[in-house]
Amino acid sequence: MRVGIGHDTHRLEPGRPLWIGGVEVPSDRGAVGHSDADVLLHAVTDALLGSAGLGDIGQWFPDDAPEHAGADSAGFVETVHGELVQRGLAVVNLDVIVFAESPRLSGFATVICQRLATLLRIDIDRVNFKAKTGEGVGPVGRGEAISAMASVLVDSKPADMDQRQETDQTT
């Protein structure tokens, strides 16, 4: 078994979309970044990479590469997940936290968990989502930034995992 952790922070600005975990969340402010600035998917990507000792998101998807401008961060997760599968690793579970003063995210927990489970090809009960505020402290608390953390446990794939993943891909 191996553990990976990931963290990301993005500035927030008015008039931009806010993507969290592959889900567009209605908000008057959105994250600033080279890709879609999905803070949670970036943290998940880093956690996956860390679990396999494969560096970090900046090495795999540089923020100055033109091909990543405006990119859907779900592609980052899918690419890295595919790399783990090739190395014989399967995600056991994922635990994530998003730190944002607003909007309130509890109403989006289920849909975010479902999106993460789909991207990682695991059951939704293996994904846990928490949302925290900054309690008015620091950039998050003042609504200037959004942050996320992710922790993932991976293990060598059981023999029947290849068949389940192939079945999932064809359905």
Side-chain angles (χ1 to χ4, degrees), residues 4 15 21 26 29 32 34 42 45-46 56 58 65 70 72 76 82 86 92 98 101 104 125 138 158 163 166:
R29 306 176 129 233
V32 177
H34 185 65
H42 293 179
T45 300
D46 259 345
D56 66 35
D72 180 349
F76 302 164
Q86 286 182 8
V92 175
V98 176
E101 198 65 22
R104 294 289 189 190
D125 67 349
Q163 290 177 331
E166 287 174 14

Side-chain angles (χ1 to χ4, degrees), residues 83-162:
E83 185 68 26
L84 267 63
V85 169
Q86 286 182 8
R87 292 169 182 263
L89 297 171
V91 173
V92 175
N93 75 300
L94 175 70
D95 189 24
V96 299
I97 307 170
V98 176
F99 301 89
E101 198 65 22
S102 69
R104 294 289 189 190
L105 298 175
S106 59
F108 296 93
T110 301
V111 68
I112 290 171
C113 285
Q114 184 58 61
R115 181 66 177 134
L116 292 169
T118 298
L119 288 171
L120 297 175
R121 297 190 175 112
I122 58 176
D123 292 334
I124 193 169
D125 67 349
R126 293 177 175 224
V127 179
N128 189 58
F129 174 87
K130 299 178 288 282
K132 306 290 182 186
T133 68
E135 299 290 334
V137 177
V140 170
R142 291 189 300 268
E144 299 168 359
I146 186 168
S147 292
M149 293 182 68
S151 177
V152 65
L153 177 65
V154 300
D155 198 2
S156 299
K157 287 194 303 187
D160 68 339
M161 183 63 80
D162 287 323

Side-chain angles (χ1 to χ4, degrees), residues 61-83:
F61 310 101
D63 65 3
D64 58 357
E67 64 269 24
H68 303 309
D72 180 349
S73 296
F76 302 164
V77 173
E78 291 172 325
T79 296
V80 173
H81 179 260
E83 185 68 26

Side-chain angles (χ1 to χ4, degrees), residues 12-18 25-31 101-104 143:
L12 293 172
E13 289 185 1
R16 298 183 61 88
L18 181 61
V25 175
S27 177
D28 62 342
R29 306 176 129 233
E101 198 65 22
S102 69
R104 294 289 189 190

